[in-house]
Amino acid sequence: MKIFQTQLQGLLNQIDNNEAELEDAARLVAQSIISDGDVWIYAEDEMIGVVAQAMHGSDSLPNLSLGEQGALFDSMDTLLVFSPHKLSKDALNVVLSAKEEGANIVGVSSESTPHEGEAWTDHCTLHFSTGIKNGLVPTESGNRIGMPHLIVALHYYYGLYFSVMEMLEENEFDFDAVD
């Protein structure tokens, strides 16, 4: 557990290195909310936990909808994408659909192992890496376990959330007007 905590802390500290880009991402989200655009969220695999927090948790973003294939994106929107794999075909389809309509795309993914295919992350307005390439803890058999995709993704979400809420308050956004 100590190895895991030490390695995890290193990953979380890297988020501080992305402070300016995270603020840029928050600005995109805030602009969508203020301009009556929509903020969409798409996640897959274990990162679906970010959707639960963002849509149903006590710290949820206003004007947030589940972004799936077939969602009606437009140029005022921002799509948030969380996937442990940057080569996911499902994420790529959602991202390409949003991009085609002119939406901004903010993505968070791990460093996928080499595979064939197009990376959805190449189509993001802004992309953040979790820094996870493999497990954080070595086992006696030489394997590595402990891949905290969700923990790191939630830290990115909270960095985004706090910045967005601060921007909305500065712009005197009427939170009571949100359904």
Side-chain angles (χ1 to χ4, degrees):
M1 191 64 182
K2 287 182 185 211
I3 293 170
F4 181 77
Q5 289 175 331
T6 300
Q7 295 295 322
L8 178 60
Q9 190 60 51
L11 292 173
L12 298 179
N13 288 341
Q14 289 179 11
I15 293 173
D16 292 341
N17 297 335
N18 295 319
E19 188 176 345
E21 291 86 1
L22 201 53
E23 191 168 312
D24 290 343
R27 195 170 293 108
L28 295 174
V29 172
Q31 286 172 350
S32 289
I33 294 169
I34 291 169
S35 67
D36 291 326
D38 290 311
V39 180
W40 301 87
I41 188 166
Y42 172 84
E44 53 190 21
D45 299 335
E46 59 266 42
M47 288 191 180
I48 290 174
V50 178
V51 172
Q53 178 60 51
M55 293 187 76
H56 309 293
S58 56
D59 297 323
S60 59
L61 286 168
N63 295 5
L64 188 65
S65 300
L66 186 59
E68 309 177 289
Q69 213 152 347
L72 301 175
F73 301 108
D74 72 36
S75 62
M76 301 300 286
D77 295 348
T78 300
L79 169 65
L80 306 175
V81 180
F82 294 87
S83 174
H85 314 288
K86 64 183 183 180
L87 297 176
S88 163
K89 289 181 183 178
D90 292 335
L92 178 63
N93 290 334
V94 173
V95 165
L96 290 176
S97 176
K99 184 178 180 180
E100 183 176 301
E101 298 304 324
N104 287 302
I105 302 154
V106 176
V108 176
S109 72
S110 69
E111 297 298 317
S112 296
T113 54
H115 287 78
E116 295 294 320
E118 183 178 1
W120 63 266
T121 56
D122 293 340
H123 301 282
C124 290
T125 309
L126 292 165
H127 174 260
F128 301 94
S129 172
T130 62
I132 300 170
K133 296 178 183 168
N134 50 39
L136 304 183
V137 180
T139 63
E140 289 185 24
S141 64
N143 294 324
R144 297 187 70 82
I145 58 174
M147 296 178 64
H149 297 291
L150 179 58
I151 295 171
V152 177
L154 281 168
H155 273 72
Y156 272 111
Y157 170 77
Y158 269 101
L160 185 68
Y161 171 79
F162 293 136
S163 293
V164 167
M165 297 309 283
E166 182 179 350
M167 289 175 188
L168 294 177
E169 286 179 357
E170 286 173 2
N171 286 285
E172 299 177 4
F173 180 76
D174 184 5
F175 291 95
D176 294 328
V178 178
D179 349 24

